[in-house]
Each structure stands twice: as C-alpha cells, then as structure tokens.
Amino acid sequence: GQQPAGQQTPPPNPDQQKPEEPPKYEETVVVSGSRTEEKLINTPVTMTVITADTIENAPTRNFADLLRSVPGLNLTQVSARDINATTRSATGTLSTGQLALLDGRSLYQDFFGFVMWDFLPVNLNEIKQVEVIRGPASAVWGANAFNGVINVITKSGTNAIHGSAFYFQRMEGLTANTSDGKPLTDFHREQFGGTIGGPIKKDKPFYFFAFEGIRENLTRGNLSDQIGDTPCPVTTPTIGANEALIN
C-alpha cells in the first residue's frame, strides 16, 4: 500500500555493503614430479616451488640467493659466479647427484662432470618458476637425480602484451669496506633490464624478449696496496717464474 502523508522513506544505510564474493584460489601447476602437468598438491614427490611473484619481490638478482630459501637445499658459492646445490648428501664442490634442468633440458655436462649454471638465464625476470624436488627422482629423471632435481622454467609469450623492468644500484656509501678496512673508493654498480612478450598472431606464435645490462666501476687506487705487514713472496704471478714453488 501507499505510505501515509508526511512519512519519508529512510535513506539506505551507507554501511550496508554488497555480499562478498567467494575467494578465488589458483592452483600451482608443476611438471617436474612426473614429467606431466599436474597440480602441486597432487604431485607424488616432495617439492618446493619458487613462483614468479617471489622472484619479482626478491631483494637480490642472484640465483643462488633464491635457492637459499628452499628447505633442505645446501648452496655452496664455489666462485664469484659459480654455485653448487646439494640435498640429502654432503656438500661438495661438484655435485653429480643433484640434477639441474632448464625447461626440462639437463644442464649437467657428462664430459666435465659438473652442472653448467652459466646456462641459466642471467635476467631473473625471464624465469616463470623454479621447481625443486627434495628427494630421489632417478626413476623419472635418471641417475643424476639421485638426490633431487632443480628445474628452472622460463616464461613465454601470451595473447596479451606484457613486460617488466628493473633497476638495482649499489654505491660506495652503502657498501662495506674491504677485509683490510679500506673503502671501495668511487665504487658503483648499476644493474638494469626488462622483458616484453606478446602475440605475433593470436593463439598462434608468440614472442618473448629479455635484456639485462650492468655498469660498474671497480677501479680503485688502493687495489694493489699491501694487505697487512707481511708482503707477498710471489712477485711475479706466472707459472714459469714460480715453477720451483709449485713443484
């Protein structure tokens, strides 16, 4: 019926909100457990996945630092650029029981007997996710996967044009001194790059490009200064001049 004269309709309550939509969950799909696509929750192995979001928000551009967050994985920095990863075994310089893969292709070199980590993408923005199997996987991947598998999966183009960019900088004021207490005079390092991908033709071929550049100044006036009170006995660092010391 009609409302009596002089009576007004109450205004809507501003606090009244629309009913919340049910949360949406995305399942992580992996391929390393049984060499087929499956949900992470259904994979028959113990696996840790480093997702693209984790890589994007990581405060480092070093691949070894990403793997340090994986439980049960031991990382050894063999040199300035080389690393070694082991699980379920003693940490050593060379690891023949920890298989490393790039998009399912082995990085282990049978002739040299070690993993070529230099074959990994330099730009971490190229990586879609890293799947780490913590345990035996030789039944699926062969003898080199006795201790585990690290499978690095790279990104590809899609029907939508997408990309990313990054810039990291290190300066003298934010860098520690050398082991003998001297500053890194005029030191700076800039690391920058980006990615872009998209369709060449919808639902057909795609393209994906990645770039990274580094600018740095490591020239220091005190680089050749003597460290400590004892001078180095080797004045000429060549094999011919120091053959007696070597033998």
Side-chain angles (χ1 to χ4, degrees):
Q2 297 181 353
Q3 296 180 351
Q7 185 175 357
Q8 298 180 351
T9 304
N13 186 0
D15 296 333
Q16 186 178 2
Q17 300 178 352
K18 297 181 179 180
E20 295 184 358
E21 296 182 359
K24 297 180 180 179
Y25 300 96
E26 293 184 359
E27 292 284 353
T28 302
V29 178
V30 296
V31 296
S32 302
S34 55
R35 304 186 77 161
T36 59
E37 291 186 357
E38 58 188 350
K39 296 179 181 179
L40 177 60
I41 195 174
N42 295 331
T43 188
V45 296
T46 304
M47 181 184 296
T48 297
V49 178
I50 304 175
T51 62
D53 290 338
T54 303
I55 297 173
E56 182 178 352
N57 297 321
T60 179
R61 307 304 301 174
N62 188 304
F63 185 75
D65 290 338
L66 290 178
L67 295 177
R68 294 186 197 280
S69 62
V70 178
L73 187 64
N74 300 321
L75 268 297
T76 305
Q77 195 76 38
V78 181
S79 65
R81 66 177 185 177
D82 294 326
I83 63 174
N84 187 53
T86 56
T87 57
R88 301 178 65 253
S89 64
T91 303
T93 304
L94 300 178
S95 176
T96 58
Q98 185 76 30
L99 182 62
L101 305 168
L102 178 60
D103 291 327
R105 185 178 181 87
S106 176
L107 298 178
Y108 179 78
Q109 302 297 304
D110 295 329
F111 182 79
F112 297 103
F114 62 90
V115 175
M116 294 291 290
W117 292 103
D118 286 347
F119 288 169
L120 288 175
V122 177
N123 186 347
L124 295 183
N125 289 29
E126 297 179 53
I127 300 176
K128 177 182 178 182
Q129 64 187 36
V130 181
E131 302 175 4
V132 182
I133 299 179
R134 308 191 312 274
S138 296
V140 178
W141 291 104
N144 293 115
F146 179 75
N147 294 327
V149 176
I150 301 174
N151 191 7
V152 180
I153 301 174
T154 58
K155 296 179 180 178
S156 62
T158 63
N159 281 328
I161 298 178
H162 62 285
S164 62
F166 68 90
Y167 180 85
F168 287 85
Q169 184 179 37
R170 291 177 57 191
M171 299 175 292
E172 176 186 351
L174 300 176
T175 305
N177 295 338
T178 59
S179 59
D180 57 333
K182 296 179 181 178
L184 293 171
T185 308
D186 297 329
F187 168 75
H188 68 85
R189 176 185 173 93
E190 292 81 32
Q191 192 172 356
F192 53 90
T195 63
I196 185 171
I200 298 177
K201 186 177 181 180
K202 186 176 180 180
D203 296 329
K204 297 295 183 180
F206 306 100
Y207 66 88
F208 185 83
F209 298 101
F211 166 78
E212 182 176 36
I214 297 176
R215 294 182 303 183
E216 60 184 0
N217 177 27
L218 296 177
T219 304
R220 298 185 289 120
N222 60 353
L223 186 63
S224 59
D225 291 351
Q226 175 180 313
I227 298 178
D229 299 329
T230 304
C232 179
V234 180
T235 56
T236 306
T238 59
I239 296 179
N242 299 278
E243 186 173 357
L245 294 176
I246 298 174
N247 297 330

